[in-house]
Amino acid sequence: MRGHSAVVTSVEVHPLYTIAVSGSEDGTIKVWDHESGEYFRTLKGHTNSIHGLSFTPTGSHLASASSDLSVKIWDFNTYTCVRTLRGHDHTISSVLFLPGPLSLFASGLSSAGNDTSEGSSAGEPTSSGTGIDSSLTGSQFLVSASRDTTVKFWDVETGFCDATISDHTDWVRCLAVRPESNSTLASSTTSSTTAANEEAVATSTTTASLLATAGNDRAIMVYDDESLKKKF
């Protein structure tokens, strides 16, 4: 699939459909059918290189991060930009929607340092809401990482930056997340009456949500979902 006029810097696959999106140094996002290779359309709005893309868990919206110091959220039904988030002071290198269970991170936002920057720009919504329903997107928060050494948490519905983490000392390059999960493990115990008689026992375990960040300072930071406390 070819069509960009400059280096392709990022790619993301839709969680439900045979759609892929690509971001480029030409400042555009292109939408493709990754099975047929067919080109669908181009999303324009950024004024500089695009470095990161992320779909919501349901695929209803797409977020894009750029060197123009903004994160844009696109409605993937209408292919229009519904909100521009501003607050970083340098290139935004990565962006990530947190899956629904990670709304648990909300409990730790107050301890991470509040930031009340709201993103908007001319011709786009300027109210306190983005018009996005988090129950439909499957995500309450969007996370962005930047060359300004910070990681920001954005409320998907209001468009406000709820918290900023400043633990890195250099460019924050990438983000990764592990959603909370519940699993049942089967183990066996020996009966007290006979060693040959084994009884299966189901053990339920919960794996906590984690967010990881990495940057040019050669550091990887891992945070839990309760306090945004560094684990390493």
Side-chain angles (χ1 to χ4, degrees), residues 72-135:
K72 289 186 179 291
I73 301 178
W74 308 82
D75 185 322
F76 225 64
N77 291 315
T78 62
Y79 299 101
T80 58
C81 178
V82 295
R83 172 67 75 177
T84 298
L85 308 176
R86 299 187 185 276
H88 284 292
D89 298 324
H90 212 314
T91 295
I92 304 171
S93 47
S94 184
V95 66
L96 182 67
F97 280 105
L98 299 182
L102 288 170
S103 60
L104 292 173
F105 272 110
S107 64
L109 292 181
S110 59
S111 63
N114 288 331
D115 184 333
T116 57
S117 302
E118 182 187 1
S120 63
S121 64
E124 291 166 10
T126 56
S127 67
S128 60
T130 62
I132 301 173
D133 185 346
S134 62
S135 65

Side-chain angles (χ1 to χ4, degrees), residues 2-87:
R2 298 178 182 273
H4 286 289
S5 60
V7 173
V8 179
T9 55
S10 56
V11 65
E12 185 80 358
V13 176
H14 195 279
L16 301 177
Y17 306 123
T18 60
I19 291 176
V21 292
S22 56
S24 170
E25 289 184 356
D26 64 16
T28 69
I29 301 166
K30 291 189 181 294
V31 185
W32 314 82
D33 184 313
H34 61 70
E35 286 194 348
S36 67
E38 180 184 359
Y39 160 77
F40 281 153
R41 64 177 63 233
T42 298
L43 308 183
K44 296 181 179 180
H46 285 291
T47 58
N48 210 327
S49 300
I50 295 170
H51 299 287
L53 299 167
S54 178
F55 276 111
T56 59
T58 62
S60 62
H61 292 77
L62 174 74
S64 56
S66 172
S67 288
D68 65 8
L69 312 188
S70 74
V71 172
K72 289 186 179 291
I73 301 178
W74 308 82
D75 185 322
F76 225 64
N77 291 315
T78 62
Y79 299 101
T80 58
C81 178
V82 295
R83 172 67 75 177
T84 298
L85 308 176
R86 299 187 185 276

Side-chain angles (χ1 to χ4, degrees), residues 147-230:
R147 192 173 181 175
D148 65 11
T149 76
T150 69
V151 175
K152 291 184 179 291
F153 288 75
W154 307 87
D155 188 302
V156 171
E157 291 192 342
T158 66
F160 281 93
C161 178
D162 282 358
T164 299
I165 297 176
S166 303
D167 290 328
H168 284 280
T169 59
D170 205 335
W171 191 342
V172 187
R173 289 282 192 171
C174 51
L175 303 164
V177 68
R178 184 187 73 183
E180 180 185 56
S181 63
N182 295 308
S183 60
T184 301
L185 302 177
S187 61
S188 61
T189 59
T190 303
S191 171
S192 59
T193 57
T194 172
N197 182 18
E198 292 189 340
E199 178 183 5
V201 178
T203 304
S204 179
T205 61
T206 299
T207 302
S209 305
L210 297 175
L211 173 70
T213 65
N216 281 10
D217 55 5
R218 304 180 184 179
I220 299 170
M221 309 287 185
V222 182
Y223 303 87
D224 63 29
D225 63 359
E226 294 183 354
S227 62
L228 288 182
K229 181 180 179 180
K230 287 184 290 184

